[in-house]
Amino acid sequence: MSCKLVCKDIFYIKYGELVLKGKNRVDFINALYRNLKDSFVDVKNLLIEKHFDNMTIFFDKKNKNEILNILLRTPGISQVMQAYQLNTNDIHKICQIIKKKLNQLKLKKYSFKVFAKRHDKSFPINSLDIAKKIGASILEKYSNSNVSLKNPDVKIFVEVKKDNSIIYFEKLCGVGGFPVGTNGRVLLLISGGIDSPVAANLLIKKGFQVDFLTFLTPPHTSENVLKKVNSLINTISLNERLQRSKLFVCNFSYILHELSHMSNTSYKITIMRRYFYKIAEYLKEKYKYDAIATGESAGQVASQTIQSMTCISSVLKPSTVVLRPLLSFDKNEIIKISKSILTYDISILPYSDCCALFVPNNPVTKPSISIAEKIEKSLNLISDVYKLTITKHINVYNSSAIKKVCKFKF
């Protein structure tokens, strides 16, 4: 007695770079599975099944668009298909469902190609013959159709498995990369600008768990700057669907006041950023991060020439790694990504950050490490102010708690 044919709407997921991971592949699949479970923890009637080369997600249709948006932004996923799972691998029944779906497209005349894959090698029909049988069934039913092997109007994908089969008509590209958390933990220096949110996005794509450090100078920087940074973080993380982040907020006013005594003002941004790095390194060691990261792009501004980056990073210990995912990107490439991840319109809001407010008229582009160290030694109180800043003037929030912050509290 044959069982009743059941056709379920599913999302069918193919993995990204994690397929290259050999013996560790299962660990990466499990990490992606955990990430998706966390992403959809509040979505009702959703079931995720993990397999060695794919995942299937069963869902309530009313949540379809929300789920799809998250899947297309989730690192570790290469392709997302809106598919149909049949509880059979019978070719006749597969043809029955395909023809039903073609009817729903309401095409007057079209060409098609069938892409078939036999997962179960004990299945008596090979992949090529599966495609031929399905194609013949379509041609027999629809006189307005024809086969095109090079440029078909409709692509029909069929995957035949041991106890079921999958049908889909389109492949959507995911972000690829690795599941979040599989490549370590990074502390990113984030401003309210365009670059650092894009850097965060690229790091998350490569499997890093990213937390954030920002610098404020109240009363010169307003509360709107903090809200802007938080909005960027929530946008990057899809409101914590991709990852849950910490935000470290440092009141940099006291250090900046000491820097105002510098006679060589062209080094002001250089020294400022050296202290940004020192504070980031302090937090890296305290909270056991694997690296610090920035949104620096080579040559984009005075502090991002190779000489500037060398001078600024020389303040760090040799064991501290600085990741710069945007190093070789030009500004147009960065803007293009920022628009695609929806951070651009937030980044251009007119709330200036610490660097933008205090940049000198003629910043040095090829600073000397020895001159930078000499300037720092001439600032008698800078060491004490630095110690006061890292012990008294850094607050940490999770990305949801920061939404409740209305006043600077240092």
Side-chain angles (χ1 to χ4, degrees):
M1 182 177 179
S2 61
C3 63
K4 181 181 178 182
L5 176 60
V6 178
C7 177
K8 295 183 178 180
D9 286 58
I10 64 167
F11 283 115
Y12 189 51
I13 293 170
K14 295 295 180 70
Y15 304 134
E17 293 180 82
L18 65 85
V19 298
L20 305 175
K21 284 301 174 180
K23 293 180 180 180
N24 295 327
R25 179 169 175 165
V26 172
D27 295 332
F28 281 77
I29 292 171
N30 288 338
L32 177 59
Y33 177 76
R34 289 193 300 271
N35 290 348
L36 289 176
K37 292 279 283 185
D38 289 342
S39 295
F40 299 125
V41 68
D42 59 347
V43 178
K44 296 180 179 178
N45 302 319
L46 183 139
L47 174 66
I48 305 171
E49 291 183 354
K50 60 179 177 178
H51 309 284
F52 189 70
D53 59 353
N54 66 80
M55 285 186 189
T56 52
I57 298 180
F58 301 88
F59 59 93
D60 190 322
K61 289 184 180 180
K62 68 181 181 181
N63 298 318
K64 183 176 181 179
N65 291 337
E66 177 189 7
I67 296 167
L68 177 60
N69 181 50
I70 293 167
L71 293 175
L72 292 174
R73 289 280 304 276
T74 298
I77 296 176
S78 175
Q79 295 176 331
V80 180
M81 283 70 76
Q82 300 177 67
Y84 310 97
Q85 185 183 76
L86 281 59
N87 64 333
T88 180
N89 56 19
D90 180 88
I91 300 300
H92 175 74
K93 292 182 178 179
I94 291 172
C95 291
Q96 179 183 333
I97 295 298
I98 289 174
K99 286 184 281 190
K100 179 180 177 181
K101 300 304 177 183
L102 287 173
N103 277 340
Q104 294 172 358
L105 296 177
K106 297 181 179 180
L107 299 172
K108 292 182 178 180
K109 189 174 182 179
Y110 61 93
S111 60
F112 71 90
K113 180 179 179 180
V114 179
F115 301 81
K117 183 176 182 180
R118 179 184 63 166
H119 287 261
D120 178 16
K121 300 308 177 185
S122 66
F123 191 74
I125 309 172
N126 65 32
S127 298
L128 181 59
D129 287 337
I130 291 171
K132 288 180 178 178
K133 284 181 177 291
I134 294 171
S137 178
I138 294 170
L139 290 172
E140 183 180 357
K141 175 73 174 178
Y142 302 107
S143 59
N144 62 336
S145 67
N146 64 280
V147 174
S148 173
L149 299 181
K150 290 187 176 180
N151 190 29
D153 299 317
V154 179
K155 295 178 181 179
I156 303 166
F157 300 90
V158 179
E159 299 190 19
V160 177
K161 305 191 178 187
K162 186 172 183 179
D163 300 312
N164 60 63
S165 53
I166 307 289
I167 300 167
Y168 50 95
F169 297 89
E170 184 181 14
K171 298 179 179 181
L172 301 176
C173 290
V175 297
F178 299 109
V180 176
T182 55
N183 261 342
R185 298 170 61 245
V186 173
L187 181 64
L188 175 79
L189 281 67
I190 187 170
S191 68
I194 295 171
D195 299 346
S196 50
V198 175
N201 175 263
L202 295 177
L203 290 167
I204 292 170
K205 173 183 174 180
K206 295 300 290 185
F208 292 99
Q209 166 68 42
V210 180
D211 289 337
F212 300 89
L213 167 62
T214 195
F215 298 92
L216 302 179
T217 53
H220 304 290
T221 49
S222 72
E223 295 167 19
N224 287 325
V225 177
L226 186 57
K227 292 175 182 176
K228 179 180 178 181
V229 169
N230 181 58
S231 182
L232 288 168
I233 293 172
N234 284 319
T235 302
I236 294 163
S237 67
L238 291 183
N239 289 316
E240 302 189 339
R241 295 274 191 192
L242 295 186
Q243 66 161 34
R244 291 179 174 84
S245 304
K246 289 185 176 68
L247 172 61
F248 295 89
V249 182
C250 176
N251 182 347
F252 199 73
S253 298
Y254 302 94
I255 292 178
L256 194 64
H257 181 265
E258 288 305 305
L259 298 186
S260 67
H261 301 306
M262 289 172 49
S263 57
N264 189 346
T265 58
S266 67
Y267 268 76
K268 192 170 186 178
I269 284 293
T270 301
I271 305 300
M272 179 189 296
R273 291 192 65 82
R274 280 168 65 89
Y275 275 91
F276 285 176
Y277 272 40
K278 283 173 66 72
I279 291 167
E281 184 177 60
Y282 163 78
L283 293 171
K284 170 192 171 290
E285 294 181 347
K286 181 176 180 179
Y287 292 93
K288 310 299 182 186
Y289 288 100
D290 298 295
I292 62 177
T294 74
E296 292 169 310
S297 174
Q300 190 175 124
V301 294
S303 65
Q304 294 177 18
T305 64
I306 189 67
Q307 295 87 353
S308 286
M309 287 189 284
T310 300
C311 179
I312 292 165
S313 60
S314 69
V315 75
L316 300 172
K317 297 174 182 177
S319 60
T320 297
V321 175
V322 181
L323 302 178
R324 299 181 177 93
L326 299 182
L327 191 68
S328 63
F329 285 58
D330 68 33
K331 196 65 177 184
N332 287 333
E333 289 176 307
I334 298 169
I335 289 173
K336 183 178 179 180
I337 297 173
S338 72
K339 289 180 177 179
S340 72
I341 63 174
L342 306 180
T343 58
Y344 179 78
D345 288 340
I346 304 170
S347 293
I348 62 174
L349 291 172
Y351 307 126
S352 297
D353 60 21
C354 183
C355 288
L357 285 172
F358 298 101
V359 62
N361 291 328
N362 297 297
V364 61
T365 58
K366 296 181 179 180
S368 160
I369 294 174
S370 60
I371 292 176
E373 291 175 342
K374 185 177 179 180
I375 291 171
E376 288 170 354
K377 287 179 181 178
S378 71
L379 299 169
N380 296 328
L381 298 178
I382 193 72
S383 179
D384 292 336
V385 172
Y386 164 73
K387 291 176 184 177
L388 179 67
T389 297
I390 62 174
T391 54
K392 300 291 185 180
H393 299 298
I394 299 176
N395 290 338
V396 58
Y397 307 91
N398 62 47
S399 55
S400 56
I402 193 69
K403 298 174 187 177
K404 302 175 183 178
V405 177
C406 297
K407 299 289 184 183
F408 295 124
K409 298 177 181 177
F410 294 105

mmCIF file of all heavy atoms in Angstrom, residues 34-42 180-181 185-186 204 208-212 233-234 236-247 289 397-400:
data_model
loop_
_atom_site.group_PDB
_atom_site.id
_atom_site.type_symbol
_atom_site.label_atom_id
_atom_site.label_comp_id
_atom_site.label_asym_id
_atom_site.label_seq_id
_atom_site.Cartn_x
_atom_site.Cartn_y
_atom_site.Cartn_z
ATOM 1 N N ARG A 34 24.017 25.549 15.936
ATOM 2 C CA ARG A 34 23.774 26.291 17.178
ATOM 3 C C ARG A 34 23.453 27.753 16.886
ATOM 4 O O ARG A 34 22.555 28.346 17.509
ATOM 5 C CB ARG A 34 24.994 26.191 18.107
ATOM 6 C CG ARG A 34 25.206 24.822 18.729
ATOM 7 C CD ARG A 34 26.226 24.887 19.853
ATOM 8 N NE ARG A 34 27.527 25.355 19.383
ATOM 9 C CZ ARG A 34 28.479 24.557 18.923
ATOM 10 N NH1 ARG A 34 28.271 23.238 18.860
ATOM 11 N NH2 ARG A 34 29.645 25.041 18.529
ATOM 12 N N ASN A 35 24.190 28.335 15.938
ATOM 13 C CA ASN A 35 23.944 29.736 15.590
ATOM 14 C C ASN A 35 22.533 29.938 15.056
ATOM 15 O O ASN A 35 21.856 30.919 15.396
ATOM 16 C CB ASN A 35 24.964 30.207 14.544
ATOM 17 C CG ASN A 35 26.373 30.342 15.108
ATOM 18 O OD1 ASN A 35 26.568 30.307 16.324
ATOM 19 N ND2 ASN A 35 27.348 30.487 14.244
ATOM 20 N N LEU A 36 22.076 29.020 14.210
ATOM 21 C CA LEU A 36 20.729 29.135 13.652
ATOM 22 C C LEU A 36 19.669 28.910 14.730
ATOM 23 O O LEU A 36 18.644 29.599 14.751
ATOM 24 C CB LEU A 36 20.542 28.139 12.502
ATOM 25 C CG LEU A 36 21.313 28.458 11.219
ATOM 26 C CD1 LEU A 36 21.119 27.349 10.196
ATOM 27 C CD2 LEU A 36 20.878 29.794 10.635
ATOM 28 N N LYS A 37 19.927 27.981 15.633
ATOM 29 C CA LYS A 37 18.988 27.759 16.742
ATOM 30 C C LYS A 37 18.849 29.029 17.578
ATOM 31 O O LYS A 37 17.739 29.407 17.980
ATOM 32 C CB LYS A 37 19.460 26.596 17.617
ATOM 33 C CG LYS A 37 19.414 25.229 16.949
ATOM 34 C CD LYS A 37 18.031 24.613 16.962
ATOM 35 C CE LYS A 37 17.694 24.049 18.319
ATOM 36 N NZ LYS A 37 16.393 23.333 18.311
ATOM 37 N N ASP A 38 19.983 29.695 17.836
ATOM 38 C CA ASP A 38 19.944 30.949 18.595
ATOM 39 C C ASP A 38 19.233 32.048 17.810
ATOM 40 O O ASP A 38 18.478 32.839 18.379
ATOM 41 C CB ASP A 38 21.368 31.404 18.936
ATOM 42 C CG ASP A 38 22.025 30.518 19.987
ATOM 43 O OD1 ASP A 38 21.297 29.778 20.689
ATOM 44 O OD2 ASP A 38 23.261 30.556 20.104
ATOM 45 N N SER A 39 19.478 32.105 16.500
ATOM 46 C CA SER A 39 18.860 33.138 15.668
ATOM 47 C C SER A 39 17.341 33.037 15.663
ATOM 48 O O SER A 39 16.637 34.041 15.628
ATOM 49 C CB SER A 39 19.373 33.032 14.222
ATOM 50 O OG SER A 39 20.745 33.309 14.147
ATOM 51 N N PHE A 40 16.848 31.797 15.711
ATOM 52 C CA PHE A 40 15.412 31.572 15.569
ATOM 53 C C PHE A 40 14.754 31.128 16.872
ATOM 54 O O PHE A 40 13.697 30.513 16.858
ATOM 55 C CB PHE A 40 15.160 30.530 14.484
ATOM 56 C CG PHE A 40 15.664 30.925 13.124
ATOM 57 C CD1 PHE A 40 16.533 30.105 12.416
ATOM 58 C CD2 PHE A 40 15.280 32.127 12.555
ATOM 59 C CE1 PHE A 40 16.986 30.474 11.159
ATOM 60 C CE2 PHE A 40 15.741 32.501 11.298
ATOM 61 C CZ PHE A 40 16.597 31.672 10.597
ATOM 62 N N VAL A 41 15.385 31.471 17.993
ATOM 63 C CA VAL A 41 14.889 30.990 19.283
ATOM 64 C C VAL A 41 13.466 31.453 19.564
ATOM 65 O O VAL A 41 12.699 30.761 20.248
ATOM 66 C CB VAL A 41 15.853 31.421 20.425
ATOM 67 C CG1 VAL A 41 15.839 32.933 20.627
ATOM 68 C CG2 VAL A 41 15.509 30.706 21.726
ATOM 69 N N ASP A 42 13.085 32.614 19.026
ATOM 70 C CA ASP A 42 11.744 33.139 19.283
ATOM 71 C C ASP A 42 10.786 32.924 18.111
ATOM 72 O O ASP A 42 9.679 33.464 18.108
ATOM 73 C CB ASP A 42 11.814 34.629 19.622
ATOM 74 C CG ASP A 42 12.437 35.447 18.502
ATOM 75 O OD1 ASP A 42 13.031 34.842 17.585
ATOM 76 O OD2 ASP A 42 12.332 36.690 18.547
ATOM 77 N N VAL A 180 29.773 31.940 12.957
ATOM 78 C CA VAL A 180 30.257 32.891 13.955
ATOM 79 C C VAL A 180 30.785 32.144 15.183
ATOM 80 O O VAL A 180 30.154 31.219 15.685
ATOM 81 C CB VAL A 180 29.137 33.865 14.377
ATOM 82 C CG1 VAL A 180 29.629 34.785 15.497
ATOM 83 C CG2 VAL A 180 28.672 34.686 13.184
ATOM 84 N N GLY A 181 31.956 32.556 15.650
ATOM 85 C CA GLY A 181 32.535 31.965 16.845
ATOM 86 C C GLY A 181 33.550 30.875 16.588
ATOM 87 O O GLY A 181 34.227 30.430 17.523
ATOM 88 N N ARG A 185 37.732 35.317 19.062
ATOM 89 C CA ARG A 185 37.056 36.524 19.540
ATOM 90 C C ARG A 185 37.924 37.743 19.262
ATOM 91 O O ARG A 185 39.136 37.735 19.524
ATOM 92 C CB ARG A 185 36.773 36.417 21.038
ATOM 93 C CG ARG A 185 35.844 35.270 21.400
ATOM 94 C CD ARG A 185 35.787 35.037 22.905
ATOM 95 N NE ARG A 185 35.290 36.195 23.635
ATOM 96 C CZ ARG A 185 36.014 36.908 24.492
ATOM 97 N NH1 ARG A 185 37.270 36.570 24.744
ATOM 98 N NH2 ARG A 185 35.486 37.943 25.125
ATOM 99 N N VAL A 186 37.292 38.790 18.738
ATOM 100 C CA VAL A 186 38.007 39.993 18.328
ATOM 101 C C VAL A 186 37.346 41.217 18.945
ATOM 102 O O VAL A 186 36.119 41.286 19.047
ATOM 103 C CB VAL A 186 37.990 40.122 16.782
ATOM 104 C CG1 VAL A 186 38.570 41.461 16.348
ATOM 105 C CG2 VAL A 186 38.765 38.985 16.145
ATOM 106 N N ILE A 204 32.836 39.061 11.011
ATOM 107 C CA ILE A 204 31.768 38.131 11.394
ATOM 108 C C ILE A 204 31.592 37.072 10.312
ATOM 109 O O ILE A 204 31.416 35.884 10.595
ATOM 110 C CB ILE A 204 30.454 38.897 11.653
ATOM 111 C CG1 ILE A 204 30.581 39.759 12.912
ATOM 112 C CG2 ILE A 204 29.272 37.938 11.799
ATOM 113 C CD1 ILE A 204 29.437 40.725 13.112
ATOM 114 N N PHE A 208 34.484 35.183 13.107
ATOM 115 C CA PHE A 208 34.904 35.809 14.360
ATOM 116 C C PHE A 208 33.695 36.283 15.162
ATOM 117 O O PHE A 208 32.736 36.800 14.603
ATOM 118 C CB PHE A 208 35.806 37.017 14.091
ATOM 119 C CG PHE A 208 37.146 36.664 13.514
ATOM 120 C CD1 PHE A 208 37.381 36.769 12.153
ATOM 121 C CD2 PHE A 208 38.176 36.222 14.329
ATOM 122 C CE1 PHE A 208 38.610 36.447 11.605
ATOM 123 C CE2 PHE A 208 39.406 35.896 13.804
ATOM 124 C CZ PHE A 208 39.624 35.996 12.426
ATOM 125 N N GLN A 209 33.765 36.099 16.470
ATOM 126 C CA GLN A 209 32.838 36.762 17.391
ATOM 127 C C GLN A 209 33.406 38.147 17.647
ATOM 128 O O GLN A 209 34.535 38.292 18.125
ATOM 129 C CB GLN A 209 32.732 35.977 18.696
ATOM 130 C CG GLN A 209 32.076 36.725 19.843
ATOM 131 C CD GLN A 209 30.604 36.989 19.631
ATOM 132 O OE1 GLN A 209 29.883 36.118 19.170
ATOM 133 N NE2 GLN A 209 30.151 38.178 19.970
ATOM 134 N N VAL A 210 32.657 39.191 17.300
ATOM 135 C CA VAL A 210 33.170 40.558 17.359
ATOM 136 C C VAL A 210 32.487 41.335 18.469
ATOM 137 O O VAL A 210 31.260 41.432 18.512
ATOM 138 C CB VAL A 210 32.963 41.288 16.011
ATOM 139 C CG1 VAL A 210 33.509 42.710 16.098
ATOM 140 C CG2 VAL A 210 33.635 40.525 14.871
ATOM 141 N N ASP A 211 33.295 41.875 19.384
ATOM 142 C CA ASP A 211 32.830 42.869 20.346
ATOM 143 C C ASP A 211 33.432 44.218 19.958
ATOM 144 O O ASP A 211 34.332 44.290 19.115
ATOM 145 C CB ASP A 211 33.209 42.481 21.776
ATOM 146 C CG ASP A 211 32.394 41.294 22.278
ATOM 147 O OD1 ASP A 211 31.293 41.053 21.748
ATOM 148 O OD2 ASP A 211 32.870 40.594 23.197
ATOM 149 N N PHE A 212 32.953 45.285 20.595
ATOM 150 C CA PHE A 212 33.246 46.629 20.092
ATOM 151 C C PHE A 212 33.771 47.545 21.192
ATOM 152 O O PHE A 212 33.368 47.442 22.345
ATOM 153 C CB PHE A 212 31.983 47.239 19.490
ATOM 154 C CG PHE A 212 31.428 46.439 18.333
ATOM 155 C CD1 PHE A 212 30.507 45.417 18.556
ATOM 156 C CD2 PHE A 212 31.833 46.698 17.034
ATOM 157 C CE1 PHE A 212 29.998 44.675 17.499
ATOM 158 C CE2 PHE A 212 31.326 45.964 15.970
ATOM 159 C CZ PHE A 212 30.404 44.956 16.199
ATOM 160 N N ILE A 233 25.746 48.663 15.539
ATOM 161 C CA ILE A 233 25.996 47.318 16.062
ATOM 162 C C ILE A 233 24.766 46.433 15.896
ATOM 163 O O ILE A 233 24.865 45.265 15.482
ATOM 164 C CB ILE A 233 26.428 47.387 17.539
ATOM 165 C CG1 ILE A 233 27.796 48.058 17.655
ATOM 166 C CG2 ILE A 233 26.462 45.989 18.167
ATOM 167 C CD1 ILE A 233 28.217 48.345 19.083
ATOM 168 N N ASN A 234 23.603 46.989 16.203
ATOM 169 C CA ASN A 234 22.377 46.198 16.065
ATOM 170 C C ASN A 234 22.077 45.860 14.604
ATOM 171 O O ASN A 234 21.554 44.783 14.304
ATOM 172 C CB ASN A 234 21.194 46.940 16.689
ATOM 173 C CG ASN A 234 21.208 46.866 18.202
ATOM 174 O OD1 ASN A 234 21.496 45.824 18.769
ATOM 175 N ND2 ASN A 234 20.925 47.968 18.860
ATOM 176 N N ILE A 236 24.436 45.517 12.194
ATOM 177 C CA ILE A 236 25.433 44.511 11.812
ATOM 178 C C ILE A 236 25.016 43.123 12.286
ATOM 179 O O ILE A 236 25.144 42.128 11.567
ATOM 180 C CB ILE A 236 26.811 44.869 12.407
ATOM 181 C CG1 ILE A 236 27.348 46.158 11.798
ATOM 182 C CG2 ILE A 236 27.817 43.733 12.188
ATOM 183 C CD1 ILE A 236 28.466 46.787 12.612
ATOM 184 N N SER A 237 24.509 43.047 13.506
ATOM 185 C CA SER A 237 24.172 41.754 14.115
ATOM 186 C C SER A 237 22.738 41.320 13.830
ATOM 187 O O SER A 237 22.291 40.300 14.379
ATOM 188 C CB SER A 237 24.397 41.822 15.629
ATOM 189 O OG SER A 237 23.475 42.717 16.229
ATOM 190 N N LEU A 238 22.019 42.071 12.971
ATOM 191 C CA LEU A 238 20.594 41.794 12.704
ATOM 192 C C LEU A 238 19.823 41.715 14.020
ATOM 193 O O LEU A 238 19.081 40.759 14.273
ATOM 194 C CB LEU A 238 20.426 40.495 11.913
ATOM 195 C CG LEU A 238 20.915 40.502 10.458
ATOM 196 C CD1 LEU A 238 20.616 39.163 9.795
ATOM 197 C CD2 LEU A 238 20.307 41.640 9.662
ATOM 198 N N ASN A 239 20.023 42.748 14.854
ATOM 199 C CA ASN A 239 19.375 42.796 16.173
ATOM 200 C C ASN A 239 19.628 41.519 16.970
ATOM 201 O O ASN A 239 18.721 40.895 17.510
ATOM 202 C CB ASN A 239 17.878 43.065 16.021
ATOM 203 C CG ASN A 239 17.597 44.480 15.585
ATOM 204 O OD1 ASN A 239 18.184 45.429 16.097
ATOM 205 N ND2 ASN A 239 16.721 44.634 14.608
ATOM 206 N N GLU A 240 20.918 41.154 17.011
ATOM 207 C CA GLU A 240 21.421 40.015 17.788
ATOM 208 C C GLU A 240 21.048 38.670 17.197
ATOM 209 O O GLU A 240 21.237 37.634 17.845
ATOM 210 C CB GLU A 240 20.971 40.093 19.260
ATOM 211 C CG GLU A 240 21.417 41.364 19.969
ATOM 212 C CD GLU A 240 21.146 41.333 21.465
ATOM 213 O OE1 GLU A 240 20.296 40.546 21.910
ATOM 214 O OE2 GLU A 240 21.797 42.098 22.180
ATOM 215 N N ARG A 241 20.572 38.628 15.973
ATOM 216 C CA ARG A 241 20.295 37.341 15.328
ATOM 217 C C ARG A 241 21.586 36.641 14.912
ATOM 218 O O ARG A 241 21.680 35.415 14.963
ATOM 219 C CB ARG A 241 19.431 37.554 14.086
ATOM 220 C CG ARG A 241 18.031 38.081 14.371
ATOM 221 C CD ARG A 241 17.072 36.973 14.670
ATOM 222 N NE ARG A 241 15.698 37.435 14.687
ATOM 223 C CZ ARG A 241 14.693 36.708 15.151
ATOM 224 N NH1 ARG A 241 14.933 35.514 15.661
ATOM 225 N NH2 ARG A 241 13.457 37.170 15.126
ATOM 226 N N LEU A 242 22.595 37.409 14.463
ATOM 227 C CA LEU A 242 23.852 36.808 14.028
ATOM 228 C C LEU A 242 24.794 36.557 15.195
ATOM 229 O O LEU A 242 25.484 35.551 15.237
ATOM 230 C CB LEU A 242 24.550 37.710 13.004
ATOM 231 C CG LEU A 242 23.853 37.917 11.661
ATOM 232 C CD1 LEU A 242 24.747 38.712 10.727
ATOM 233 C CD2 LEU A 242 23.471 36.589 11.021
ATOM 234 N N GLN A 243 24.846 37.497 16.131
ATOM 235 C CA GLN A 243 25.706 37.350 17.297
ATOM 236 C C GLN A 243 25.247 38.327 18.370
ATOM 237 O O GLN A 243 24.581 39.317 18.084
ATOM 238 C CB GLN A 243 27.170 37.610 16.953
ATOM 239 C CG GLN A 243 27.454 39.049 16.540
ATOM 240 C CD GLN A 243 28.927 39.419 16.653
ATOM 241 O OE1 GLN A 243 29.819 38.620 16.443
ATOM 242 N NE2 GLN A 243 29.186 40.668 17.020
ATOM 243 N N ARG A 244 25.606 38.042 19.609
ATOM 244 C CA ARG A 244 25.360 38.961 20.723
ATOM 245 C C ARG A 244 26.687 39.603 21.103
ATOM 246 O O ARG A 244 27.649 38.910 21.391
ATOM 247 C CB ARG A 244 24.743 38.209 21.908
ATOM 248 C CG ARG A 244 23.322 37.739 21.632
ATOM 249 C CD ARG A 244 22.742 36.968 22.814
ATOM 250 N NE ARG A 244 21.348 36.645 22.583
ATOM 251 C CZ ARG A 244 20.923 35.585 21.901
ATOM 252 N NH1 ARG A 244 21.810 34.743 21.386
ATOM 253 N NH2 ARG A 244 19.636 35.358 21.723
ATOM 254 N N SER A 245 26.710 40.927 21.089
ATOM 255 C CA SER A 245 27.970 41.646 21.252
ATOM 256 C C SER A 245 28.020 42.436 22.546
ATOM 257 O O SER A 245 26.995 42.842 23.083
ATOM 258 C CB SER A 245 28.157 42.631 20.083
ATOM 259 O OG SER A 245 28.093 41.977 18.852
ATOM 260 N N LYS A 246 29.264 42.676 22.987
ATOM 261 C CA LYS A 246 29.519 43.645 24.055
ATOM 262 C C LYS A 246 29.996 44.947 23.414
ATOM 263 O O LYS A 246 30.675 44.938 22.387
ATOM 264 C CB LYS A 246 30.586 43.125 25.012
ATOM 265 C CG LYS A 246 30.153 41.970 25.900
ATOM 266 C CD LYS A 246 31.260 41.642 26.885
ATOM 267 C CE LYS A 246 30.847 40.548 27.861
ATOM 268 N NZ LYS A 246 30.688 39.238 27.165
ATOM 269 N N LEU A 247 29.659 46.051 24.055
ATOM 270 C CA LEU A 247 30.160 47.357 23.635
ATOM 271 C C LEU A 247 30.869 48.000 24.812
ATOM 272 O O LEU A 247 30.263 48.256 25.854
ATOM 273 C CB LEU A 247 29.013 48.246 23.154
ATOM 274 C CG LEU A 247 29.383 49.711 22.857
ATOM 275 C CD1 LEU A 247 30.428 49.795 21.755
ATOM 276 C CD2 LEU A 247 28.143 50.524 22.503
ATOM 277 N N TYR A 289 40.624 38.413 24.547
ATOM 278 C CA TYR A 289 40.364 38.426 23.113
ATOM 279 C C TYR A 289 41.584 37.884 22.363
ATOM 280 O O TYR A 289 42.715 37.973 22.840
ATOM 281 C CB TYR A 289 40.040 39.842 22.628
ATOM 282 C CG TYR A 289 38.685 40.325 23.080
ATOM 283 C CD1 TYR A 289 38.559 41.178 24.174
ATOM 284 C CD2 TYR A 289 37.528 39.900 22.437
ATOM 285 C CE1 TYR A 289 37.313 41.610 24.610
ATOM 286 C CE2 TYR A 289 36.278 40.328 22.872
ATOM 287 C CZ TYR A 289 36.180 41.178 23.951
ATOM 288 O OH TYR A 289 34.942 41.591 24.385
ATOM 289 N N TYR A 397 28.676 47.294 28.068
ATOM 290 C CA TYR A 397 27.254 46.972 27.938
ATOM 291 C C TYR A 397 27.106 45.832 26.948
ATOM 292 O O TYR A 397 27.909 45.693 26.019
ATOM 293 C CB TYR A 397 26.463 48.168 27.390
ATOM 294 C CG TYR A 397 26.658 49.462 28.134
ATOM 295 C CD1 TYR A 397 27.656 50.353 27.755
ATOM 296 C CD2 TYR A 397 25.840 49.804 29.201
ATOM 297 C CE1 TYR A 397 27.844 51.553 28.421
ATOM 298 C CE2 TYR A 397 26.006 51.006 29.874
ATOM 299 C CZ TYR A 397 27.008 51.872 29.483
ATOM 300 O OH TYR A 397 27.188 53.070 30.142
ATOM 301 N N ASN A 398 26.056 45.037 27.127
ATOM 302 C CA ASN A 398 25.689 44.183 26.003
ATOM 303 C C ASN A 398 24.846 45.021 25.059
ATOM 304 O O ASN A 398 24.358 46.088 25.415
ATOM 305 C CB ASN A 398 24.962 42.910 26.460
ATOM 306 C CG ASN A 398 23.653 43.193 27.175
ATOM 307 O OD1 ASN A 398 22.845 43.993 26.707
ATOM 308 N ND2 ASN A 398 23.433 42.538 28.298
ATOM 309 N N SER A 399 24.673 44.559 23.825
ATOM 310 C CA SER A 399 24.096 45.420 22.795
ATOM 311 C C SER A 399 22.635 45.755 23.034
ATOM 312 O O SER A 399 22.128 46.726 22.491
ATOM 313 C CB SER A 399 24.256 44.769 21.408
ATOM 314 O OG SER A 399 23.711 43.481 21.407
ATOM 315 N N SER A 400 21.953 44.980 23.859
ATOM 316 C CA SER A 400 20.565 45.331 24.172
ATOM 317 C C SER A 400 20.502 46.305 25.347
ATOM 318 O O SER A 400 19.687 47.219 25.367
ATOM 319 C CB SER A 400 19.748 44.081 24.480
ATOM 320 O OG SER A 400 20.334 43.339 25.525
#
